[in-house]
Amino acid sequence: RVGRVLGTREVGDSTPLPSPSLYPFTGNEFVQHNTWQLSRVYPSGLRTDSSNYNPQELWNAGCQMVAMNMQTAGLEMDICDGHFRQNGGCGYVLKPDFLRDIQSSFHPEKPISPFKAQTLLIQVISGQQLPKVDKTKEGSIVDPLVKVQIFGVRLDTARQETNYVENNGFNPYWGQTLCFRVLVPELAMLRFVVMDYDWKSRNDFIGQYTLPWTCMQQGEPAPLTPGQYPSSGCLPNAVLLPLPGYRHIHLLSKDGISLRPASIFVYICIQEGLEGDES
């Protein structure tokens, strides 16, 4: 369902999740189209359950107005809320310059240089006062783990998680380092999710926090010492020392309500370029 009104292209999605087939043009053509016309995307009327699509892929193509079913909480709304967290939720965020250049060569499915790739190191250190999932069950204690997700262009989409800590929601300690390589950081979103491990069924949600990559505050790199390399195999030139990069991340509920004082304590370090680059 596509219509054109006064230079504005409206697209109603008709698939459960967005994909490149949702675009009315090929990837780069759609990016160039959105440098001089407005595109409004909205959930299809077939979504009778008020479900949402992931807005990230539409932002990757430069769409200016991506409507959501705001009444439905979940991953998609977490990404949407996180995206606009960078400007206090006022509703407007300036697109990266390569999505505003009418001669842009950017293709969301095939990002290539001159985009400045970056390597992200996150040391998930500890948690504080995590709430119980089943408050009706006396003596219930969570077995928390932390999942870190990256959303952006398809090649950057990734997730990693820590081990779980048994029976400790008050002050669990993980001390694990996760490593991510991101080609287009200007479009990347970072999501921290704390889950309650359950060996019998799906893990239960405890809390989350989502923010744009460009809003992260970080520390300075320093040499690694033996035994501090992350298990992912990424060999960074940084070590997690007590420098400006330690942050308490205060968790939000599924509905975006603060769960204070529940938080996780992390260290964040970002390096220019990808590990293994010769340049």
Side-chain angles (χ1 to χ4, degrees), residues 15 23-24 33 38 42 95 98 202-203 228 237 244 260:
T15 56
Y23 302 158
H33 169 87
L38 297 176
Y42 50 89
K95 296 190 293 186
F98 56 82
R202 180 180 298 180
N203 296 339
Q228 291 180 306
N237 295 317
R260 286 178 182 265

Side-chain angles (χ1 to χ4, degrees), residues 90-112:
C90 76
Y92 293 91
V93 173
L94 183 64
K95 296 190 293 186
D97 55 1
F98 56 82
L99 291 179
R100 307 195 309 269
D101 181 0
I102 197 169
Q103 296 181 330
S104 175
S105 62
F106 178 72
H107 192 302
E109 299 300 309
K110 304 172 184 177
I112 56 175

Side-chain angles (χ1 to χ4, degrees), residues 25-192:
F25 307 102
T26 60
N28 179 250
E29 289 176 339
F30 198 20
V31 169
Q32 292 187 357
H33 169 87
N34 287 327
T35 63
W36 65 283
Q37 290 199 10
L38 297 176
S39 292
R40 172 178 173 259
V41 186
Y42 50 89
S44 168
L46 299 177
R47 291 180 181 269
T48 56
D49 58 351
S50 293
S51 61
N52 277 309
Y53 49 73
N54 187 335
Q56 185 67 52
E57 292 199 18
L58 287 311
W59 293 331
N60 291 347
C63 294
Q64 295 88 349
M65 294 177 284
V66 181
M68 305 288 287
N69 284 316
M70 306 291 286
Q71 71 274 23
T72 305
L75 167 64
E76 296 81 10
M77 275 306 304
D78 290 344
I79 294 174
C80 184
D81 290 340
H83 181 69
F84 291 100
R85 191 163 283 127
Q86 60 188 292
N87 66 355
C90 76
Y92 293 91
V93 173
L94 183 64
K95 296 190 293 186
D97 55 1
F98 56 82
L99 291 179
R100 307 195 309 269
D101 181 0
I102 197 169
Q103 296 181 330
S104 175
S105 62
F106 178 72
H107 192 302
E109 299 300 309
K110 304 172 184 177
I112 56 175
S113 58
F115 308 107
K116 295 181 179 179
Q118 294 181 337
T119 297
L120 170 68
L121 286 171
I122 299 178
Q123 186 181 38
V124 182
I125 302 171
S126 62
Q128 295 77 39
Q129 302 187 58
L130 304 178
K132 297 179 180 180
V133 174
D134 187 359
K135 296 182 180 180
T136 62
K137 185 177 180 181
E138 186 175 353
S140 174
I141 303 176
V142 297
D143 303 323
L145 62 85
V146 178
K147 179 165 57 177
V148 180
Q149 300 170 298
I150 301 290
F151 297 94
V153 298
R154 283 183 180 270
L155 292 178
D156 288 341
T157 301
R159 69 176 183 180
Q160 296 181 37
E161 62 183 46
T162 67
N163 298 327
Y164 71 92
V165 176
E166 188 173 358
N167 291 338
N168 189 346
F170 183 71
N171 59 350
Y173 175 80
W174 295 283
Q176 292 181 248
T177 302
L178 310 178
C179 180
F180 296 91
R181 299 164 177 172
V182 175
L183 297 174
V184 190
E186 295 89 342
L187 294 176
M189 299 287 297
L190 183 65
R191 184 173 186 249
F192 295 89

